[in-house]
Every structure is written in structure tokens, then in C-alpha cells.
Amino acid sequence: MSFLQAIIDVINGVHYNDIERVTKALDVVCQSIDSMKQALKRMHEYVDPSIFYGVIRIFLSGWKDNPSMAEGLVYEGVDDQPMEFSGGSAAQSSILHCLDELLGIQHEGNNGAFLKRMRDYMPPSHKQFIQEISICPSLRDFVLQQADERLTHAFDKCVAGLVEFRNCHINIVTRFITIPASRAKQLRANKQNLMEELDTISRAPTALEERGTGGSGIMTFLKTVRNETKDSSISVFTNGNQEPPMEEIEKSASELTIE
């Protein structure tokens, strides 16, 4: 069963009050989240942090919420007025929005508004699918009402898996953005002559040091979204699923090497 079919099975199972169908489909969703996490980790194998920070990330960044281009960008031959578009961002992932809606994860305030705005960058059919999930009967309410141990466990495994995925994302942002940004600040402060690799990270505009490619205040945004995901769990997380302290995330990220 595919990930998308599993989502449909969850929705249909809730509609027909079929605990077994929902439980099996949630197991597939959980496996898919784990596969996503394993794929995300491969960035450590194939991408050099200094190249990502000093070269790739500049081209991913857009011209909305970007202090380097505060007035937007004029598209000659299209419009005389500057236009503002966000850069590519994980917040534009249709899969993550599907999971949030399916699991009943609520993102509030500015973060929620930012995520909703990111849906405008998705293919219309993706955006529509996410909207359809959002108006279906609540899966979380169904799980609470049934009070079935296997069903509750399957639901919470999905939530825990998504928390782990978002912790993995925080780890990657620490290694590929936070640490290079800190190093670039240090080098500027000390006015050191930069070696070739360090010269690469110095190319990134200073205005982007604390922001994601989509324009969000990156670390605060990611941690808040992760915590809101954790809050949707029905059972209390075990110690193994608790968030590692930020210093441990930074330490582990700094010790990773490129093979």
C-alpha cells in the first residue's frame, strides 16, 4: 500500500468506524515517515555544509521576507512593480502538510499563517488534497473515542515518527546553516584571511544567517513546529522520544563528517 493510499484508507476507516483498517493504514504511514527520515539523513553523505551555506542556499532563497531584497524583484516584461516570492522551503512540502492535517497537528499564530501561505507554492491538486483532508472527520478524535490500545499506539507512533523527522531537520539546519553562520560571524569579527572553504561560507549574505530559504526565522520556527507536533500525541512520550537538548544536537551535527 502506498503512502497516499494509506491516507485514503485512514479517512475511509474513520468514516466506516473500521478500527482495523485505520490501524493497518497508520502502520503504513509510520513506515513512510521513517523512510522520509532516512532519505533526509542522506544529505549528510552528499552535501558539503560550506557549499550548501555559501552557494546553494543563496539560489534557494527568495525575495519575500528577505532583507537583502526588501522591495522584491522586478520581472522585466511582466510587471513594472516589484514582486515578492518566497524561496524553496520544506514548509512547501505537500507530504508534511498532509501529515499535519491527518494527525490533527495544529500550528498557531505567525507560524501557522506562514505554513498556510506556503500552500500557495504547491501544485493546485496538492493544495486541494490537503484541504480535503482538513475537512474530513478528525482522526485524533476517532482514536480518542475508540480507546483501542493498538489503534492508539499506531497513531502515537506516527506522531513520534514525525517528531523524530523534525528533530532530524533541526539537526541538518544546525549543521548546514547555524554552524556555518556562526563560523562566518567569527571570521568577520577576527578579520581573518579566509581559506578557500571558509571563503565559500563568507559569500552568503549576512541577512540570511538567521532565516530559512522560505524567509522564516528558522530555528524558532522549526522548534515550535516540532513542539506542536509533539503536543498532538495521545499518550505520554517515552524518554526515547524526548527532544535531545539543543547543545547535544549542535554537538552531534558538528561532529558529522563528509565521506
Side-chain angles (χ1 to χ4, degrees), residues 31-49:
Q31 293 167 14
S32 298
I33 295 172
D34 184 66
S35 295
M36 288 165 51
K37 184 181 70 175
Q38 299 308 321
L40 185 62
K41 285 182 175 180
R42 303 201 70 182
M43 185 168 174
H44 293 298
E45 301 175 37
Y46 294 104
V47 184
D48 184 314

Side-chain angles (χ1 to χ4, degrees), residues 30-242:
C30 185
Q31 293 167 14
S32 298
I33 295 172
D34 184 66
S35 295
M36 288 165 51
K37 184 181 70 175
Q38 299 308 321
L40 185 62
K41 285 182 175 180
R42 303 201 70 182
M43 185 168 174
H44 293 298
E45 301 175 37
Y46 294 104
V47 184
D48 184 314
S50 62
I51 297 298
F52 176 82
Y53 181 79
V55 180
I56 299 173
R57 187 165 172 262
I58 297 174
F59 292 98
L60 289 176
S61 300
W63 28 94
K64 182 176 178 63
D65 301 322
N66 183 343
S68 298
M69 304 179 70
E71 296 182 359
L73 182 68
V74 174
Y75 285 74
E76 294 181 354
V78 177
D79 199 313
D80 293 334
Q81 298 301 314
M83 304 176 74
E84 294 182 303
F85 296 105
S86 298
S89 169
Q92 296 163 5
S93 165
S94 304
I95 291 178
L96 293 176
H97 284 255
C98 283
L99 288 169
D100 281 344
E101 294 292 355
L102 183 71
L103 300 172
I105 298 168
Q106 301 294 320
H107 300 296
E108 307 294 343
N110 291 336
N111 289 337
F114 173 77
L115 286 167
K116 286 290 177 65
R117 177 161 61 83
M118 290 299 99
R119 294 182 184 182
D120 293 337
Y121 293 86
M122 297 176 184
S125 59
H126 291 205
K127 183 178 179 180
Q128 180 63 32
F129 184 62
I130 294 165
Q131 177 62 24
E132 293 293 337
I133 297 173
S134 73
I135 62 177
C136 288
S138 168
L139 166 64
R140 192 172 188 277
D141 287 348
F142 175 78
V143 175
L144 286 168
Q145 290 165 5
Q146 299 301 322
D148 180 87
E149 184 176 355
R150 285 184 60 240
L151 176 62
T152 301
H153 179 67
F155 178 89
D156 276 349
K157 276 188 66 179
C158 289
V159 174
L162 193 53
V163 170
E164 290 173 5
F165 177 88
R166 284 175 163 150
N167 271 332
C168 180
H169 191 190
I170 290 172
N171 196 318
I172 284 176
V173 167
T174 299
R175 186 186 184 206
F176 288 85
I177 297 179
T178 305
I179 291 174
S182 177
R183 181 61 174 153
K185 288 179 182 178
Q186 179 185 11
L187 291 168
R188 287 197 302 272
N190 294 338
K191 298 182 180 179
Q192 297 182 19
N193 292 323
L194 306 181
M195 296 181 297
E196 182 178 354
E197 178 185 4
L198 299 180
D199 184 51
T200 300
I201 69 172
S202 72
R203 296 174 192 168
T206 58
L208 298 179
E209 288 175 351
E210 305 297 332
R211 309 198 73 79
T213 48
S216 62
I218 189 164
M219 197 55 73
T220 299
F221 170 77
L222 291 177
K223 290 174 71 175
T224 300
V225 167
R226 187 274 323 281
N227 290 342
E228 289 169 339
T229 303
K230 186 184 299 185
D231 289 343
S232 69
S233 174
I234 292 174
S235 302
V236 178
F237 280 111
T238 63
N239 289 334
N241 286 326
Q242 292 289 343

